Amino acid sequence: MVNFEGCESALAVQKVTDVEEAVDDDGKPKRTGSVWTASSHIITAIIGSGVLSLAWGMAQLGWIAGVTTLLTFSAITLYTSNLLADCYRTQNTPKRNYTYMECVKNNLGGKMYIACGIVQYSNLSGMIIGYTITASISMAAIQKSNCFHKRGHEIHCRFSHNPYMIGMGIFEIFLSQIPNFHKLSMLSVVAAIMSFGYSSIGLGLAFAKIISGKGNKTTLTGVEIGIDDLSASEKTWRMFRAFGDIAFAYTYSQVLIEIQDTLKASAVPENKVMKKANIMAVVTTTTFYMMCGCFGYAAFGNNAPGNLLTGFGFYEPFWLVDIANIFIVVHLVGAYQVFSQPVFSALESWAKWRWPNSKFIAKEYMINIGGSGKHKFSVNFLRLSWRSLFVILATVLAMAMPFFNDILALLGAIGYWPLTVYFPIEMYIKQKKVRRWTLRWLGLQLINLICLLVAMAAACGSIQGLQKDLNTYKPFMVKD
């Protein structure tokens, strides 16, 4: 006689074991991230097309201040990011902090939590709108490149960016249905490869110009007062913007905890794995930043364009410039998702907490892709409606305010100091119980003060640039 009872018990045990294997210690789906995927996420977030504007920043500061600034902010970012990585788990407990805001709440209290949320999500939303604009500029640059090649470099080729913004928005609506950060690994790897691709092309074209003997004049102190009617005040404003651009080029703290939450459980604690990812990503980024900034400055001198590829520092070979701009677009498509996922998650988590029994909010509908049924895609009505609405709003704002990059610089100036420096340092002081007026406490506060002054200077420079844009502002018209 067959013992069905024993079989049923064995099956029940197997089901329990399968469920246990499918989730982590906190009951959430098993994390699968590694040091490589985490570093890919960081590189995707940190290396934007702004790397191609570093030659302009170097031109404003010169060799001495430019190189020193790059290395200084590289070190500060790595140090404060490692402090933040230690905050993923609440001290002396196994409790995870799933988001940056949750870290702040559990370490610094409710008031700081609210302040952090306002700054963080304003900054993330601003980055998303800025990426929409920047991607459209690169797409239009491809059209311009072909126009210059056919009609000559002196011809004025002008194209609207709005159709490209609309196209970017439509594509992002589909990508935004990726459920969470854990599912972005492949997209981030592709985006990171793209960032290396266009950075290398810009670097190679600059290097080719240098060895051909066509490099322009450079100076130790950058652009010179009196040349091209440059006043002392304008030189100062430009230096402020350059300091800010370099500092903000290293910013990724606002998504660091979310990236750390993708790491799989192992014998090595998450903070140690994340610190390795921080080192890999920041060292890689700094190497590219140094090469692009220095080679770009050596190639174009004090007349370096704002962007080596979309600003047409290079016209030929036009097909290589086109490839580089395609790489920029693909990278920004991925970076858009890296920065938008925390925003999406914030509202969706709140909605699930507020209405836990709502099918509209909580229920997942599985859709088979292909005839075999092996590939399935999960659809949730809240995710579909809210994320689509967010992308549409971001696209409309990008079209309405073509000078938004200056607003973005202002948001970055406001957000850089608290998110990258202040909160990580204060949480570290609280966790480690660092006593006031000790050498460690004074050193941490010195970093705080220096970065605050840089952020204030960059904010002033951004406001001055924004004032110029407002004088010629026309809604839904893209400044060429």
Side-chain angles (χ1 to χ4, degrees), residues 148-382:
F148 287 135
H149 178 70
K150 291 178 181 178
R151 300 173 61 188
H153 300 167
E154 303 303 321
I155 299 298
H156 185 65
C157 296
R158 189 184 182 97
F159 302 96
S160 173
H161 300 174
N162 288 339
Y164 297 112
M165 292 189 195
I166 294 171
M168 172 87 167
I170 292 171
F171 189 56
E172 290 294 350
I173 286 176
F174 288 100
L175 283 183
S176 293
Q177 299 312 308
I178 296 173
N180 52 48
F181 233 129
H182 308 283
K183 306 295 184 182
L184 285 181
S185 295
M186 185 53 64
L187 186 62
S188 280
V189 169
V190 171
I193 292 170
M194 294 296 103
S195 67
F196 290 133
Y198 66 71
S199 298
S200 299
I201 291 173
L203 179 63
L205 291 173
F207 186 68
K209 185 169 183 177
I210 294 168
I211 62 175
S212 68
K214 296 179 180 178
N216 291 342
K217 177 187 175 184
T218 63
T219 58
L220 291 176
T221 57
V223 292
E224 298 172 295
I225 297 170
I227 305 296
D228 295 329
D229 297 325
L230 180 68
S231 66
S233 61
E234 183 62 26
K235 161 86 172 175
T236 303
W237 289 123
R238 288 189 185 185
M239 289 181 67
F240 284 170
R241 286 190 215 124
F243 281 130
D245 287 347
I246 292 172
F248 310 141
Y250 283 103
T251 299
Y252 69 97
S253 296
Q254 61 266 53
V255 292
L256 185 147
I257 295 297
E258 284 81 356
I259 293 173
Q260 192 168 348
D261 192 47
T262 67
L263 296 174
K264 63 183 176 185
S266 67
V268 182
E270 295 94 349
N271 63 330
K272 291 186 177 180
V273 177
M274 194 64 194
K275 287 177 182 179
K276 289 181 181 178
N278 285 336
I279 292 171
M280 289 171 58
V282 173
V283 169
T284 302
T285 299
T286 301
T287 302
F288 266 79
Y289 281 5
M290 288 292 290
M291 290 193 297
C292 288
C294 294
F295 284 4
Y297 182 40
F300 293 100
N302 292 336
N303 295 318
N307 188 305
L308 296 181
L309 296 173
T310 63
F312 289 94
F314 307 102
Y315 291 93
E316 301 292 342
F318 80 99
W319 55 269
L320 190 58
V321 175
D322 288 352
I323 291 173
N325 279 299
I326 291 171
F327 285 173
I328 291 174
V329 173
V330 175
H331 170 252
L332 292 178
V333 165
Y336 188 111
Q337 288 303 312
V338 170
F339 279 97
S340 62
Q341 283 292 335
V343 181
F344 296 154
S345 177
L347 184 135
E348 289 161 15
S349 298
W350 174 81
K352 288 177 182 178
W353 169 81
R354 181 67 179 80
W355 298 286
N357 299 320
S358 170
K359 291 185 178 180
F360 179 83
I361 293 170
K363 188 171 177 59
E364 297 283 342
Y365 298 88
M366 304 306 297
I367 298 177
N368 291 328
I369 301 175
S372 63
K374 292 182 179 179
H375 303 287
K376 295 183 178 182
F377 186 76
S378 177
V379 175
N380 171 271
F381 286 134
L382 173 64

